[in-house]
Amino acid sequence: MRVACAQYAVREGDPDFNLRRALHFIRRAALKGADLVVLPELATSGCAFRSRREASAFGDAYPEGRSIRLWREEAERSGLFVVGGMLEKDGELLYNAAVLVGPGAVVGRYRKTHLWDGEKRLYEPGSELPVFDTPLGGIGLLVCYDAWFPEAARTLATKGAQILCVPSNAPDDWVPETGRRGGLTMLDVHCIAHANANRVFVAAANRVGGGYLGRSCIVDVTGGVLALGGAAEERLLVAEVEPERAVREKKLTESAHALNDRNPAAYEFG
């Protein structure tokens, strides 16, 4: 199967423009033969909100909101699955969420569990890490800062995820320029580590423009980088993946297994 990550600029507070851009990249992914395309975090709204009240004006309902409906309709026409970040409004509550839609169906939703900095004033944290069974395999969702928490990726892997999709708006990686190597950001490094440690595929779509870092990536179960975006240009990354490898290659040698060799009794979590 073929996975795509759409790396492009999102316009703050302009859902009409952002929806057009999202649909454009979904169509491009379909033309490239993609079975799954990942869009950035908060792909319809942007994220530069000063208050909950301001953010609320750009919220979209799940599962019948406008952005979800348009993505679902495009998925139906194109015959692919779409993962996109959205600002979800549920009554008076707001969530930084990601949705998975496919041909003819809204498959599921994930609410960002680890809220970054000022997001804590705007959104409620999610409390579940679901894995969605699809014809493409088990798909788990994380959103940007979630990728900094290995427990989240490991939980999805133990629940049967074969592909982790990570819509992102990463503006910085907190690594000094002098310490960076190979053009990789920390988002990339975390994706590589999750892929290698859990033997899953990882696809992260990061925003560009306005100080955002780009460097979207698609990573193999070994941690090998199949596709890597640049720091500034809008681009559709595409790579071939084989989800069954995320099952088959959990076994590293005759006596080593990526998940079965864990020793939970020795771990302490607070």
Side-chain angles (χ1 to χ4, degrees), residues 166-230:
V166 192
S168 300
N169 276 354
D172 201 346
D173 61 4
W174 308 282
V175 177
E177 291 280 353
T178 55
R180 297 178 183 174
R181 294 292 182 270
L184 298 175
T185 67
M186 285 308 299
L187 175 63
D188 301 315
V189 172
H190 285 302
C191 290
I192 291 167
H194 294 328
N196 177 270
N198 297 295
R199 293 286 157 158
V200 295
F201 291 94
V202 182
N206 195 31
R207 179 177 170 181
V208 294
Y212 291 91
L213 284 178
R215 297 295 185 186
S216 302
C217 62
I218 303 173
V219 186
D220 181 78
V221 296
T222 65
V225 178
L226 301 174
L228 179 65

Side-chain angles (χ1 to χ4, degrees), residues 138 140 150 153-164 190-203 219-224 226 241-253 256-262:
R154 175 55 56 90
T155 297
L156 292 173
T158 60
K159 289 182 175 181
Q162 295 160 271
I163 306 168
L164 304 186
H190 285 302
C191 290
I192 291 167
H194 294 328
N196 177 270
N198 297 295
R199 293 286 157 158
V200 295
F201 291 94
V202 182
V219 186
D220 181 78
V221 296
T222 65
L226 301 174
V241 307
E242 184 185 347
E244 179 57 30
R245 287 181 58 200
V247 178
R248 187 172 67 246
E249 296 186 26
K250 290 285 194 293
K251 187 173 182 179
L252 307 176
T253 71
H257 191 281
L259 297 186
N260 294 347
D261 289 344
R262 292 176 302 125

Side-chain angles (χ1 to χ4, degrees), residues 225-241:
V225 178
L226 301 174
L228 179 65
E233 79 275 8
E234 294 191 339
R235 182 183 169 190
L236 184 74
L237 282 68
V238 182
E240 296 282 347
V241 307

Side-chain angles (χ1 to χ4, degrees), residues 1-252:
M1 61 169 281
R2 189 168 287 187
V3 173
C5 286
Q7 173 174 293
Y8 60 94
V10 174
R11 186 177 292 176
E12 299 293 343
D14 192 342
D16 290 340
F17 173 86
N18 293 330
L19 277 169
R20 288 195 298 271
R21 295 297 287 156
L23 295 174
H24 166 76
F25 278 96
I26 294 170
R27 291 168 189 145
R28 280 188 58 188
L31 290 174
K32 293 286 187 178
D35 302 286
L36 170 67
V37 58
V38 185
L39 309 176
E41 178 182 8
L42 295 170
T44 55
S45 63
C47 63
F49 301 116
R50 293 165 293 183
S51 69
R52 185 181 292 252
R53 180 178 180 180
E54 181 184 8
S56 181
F58 299 95
D60 219 349
Y62 177 87
E64 70 278 2
R66 179 186 177 214
S67 58
I68 299 174
R69 175 175 55 81
L70 292 175
W71 290 346
R72 179 182 54 77
E73 290 173 356
E74 192 59 49
E76 177 71 26
R77 281 190 290 268
S78 302
L80 48 59
F81 286 78
V82 178
V83 171
M86 63 170 287
L87 198 169
E88 180 197 352
K89 185 174 183 179
D90 185 4
E92 296 300 314
L93 302 180
L94 301 178
Y95 297 89
N96 184 340
V99 296
L100 171 62
V101 302
V106 177
V107 179
R109 165 197 60 198
Y110 165 71
R111 291 167 168 171
K112 189 174 184 178
T113 305
H114 305 91
L115 299 179
W116 167 251
D117 194 43
E119 289 184 331
K120 298 178 181 73
R121 299 190 302 270
L122 302 176
Y123 311 123
E124 304 298 317
S127 58
E128 298 180 351
L129 290 162
V131 173
F132 304 104
D133 292 325
T134 77
L136 306 180
I139 296 178
L141 308 182
L142 298 173
V143 177
C144 199
Y145 189 44
D146 287 325
W148 271 250
F149 295 84
E151 300 91 339
R154 175 55 56 90
T155 297
L156 292 173
T158 60
K159 289 182 175 181
Q162 295 160 271
I163 306 168
L164 304 186
C165 299
V166 192
S168 300
N169 276 354
D172 201 346
D173 61 4
W174 308 282
V175 177
E177 291 280 353
T178 55
R180 297 178 183 174
R181 294 292 182 270
L184 298 175
T185 67
M186 285 308 299
L187 175 63
D188 301 315
V189 172
H190 285 302
C191 290
I192 291 167
H194 294 328
N196 177 270
N198 297 295
R199 293 286 157 158
V200 295
F201 291 94
V202 182
N206 195 31
R207 179 177 170 181
V208 294
Y212 291 91
L213 284 178
R215 297 295 185 186
S216 302
C217 62
I218 303 173
V219 186
D220 181 78
V221 296
T222 65
V225 178
L226 301 174
L228 179 65
E233 79 275 8
E234 294 191 339
R235 182 183 169 190
L236 184 74
L237 282 68
V238 182
E240 296 282 347
V241 307
E242 184 185 347
E244 179 57 30
R245 287 181 58 200
V247 178
R248 187 172 67 246
E249 296 186 26
K250 290 285 194 293
K251 187 173 182 179
L252 307 176

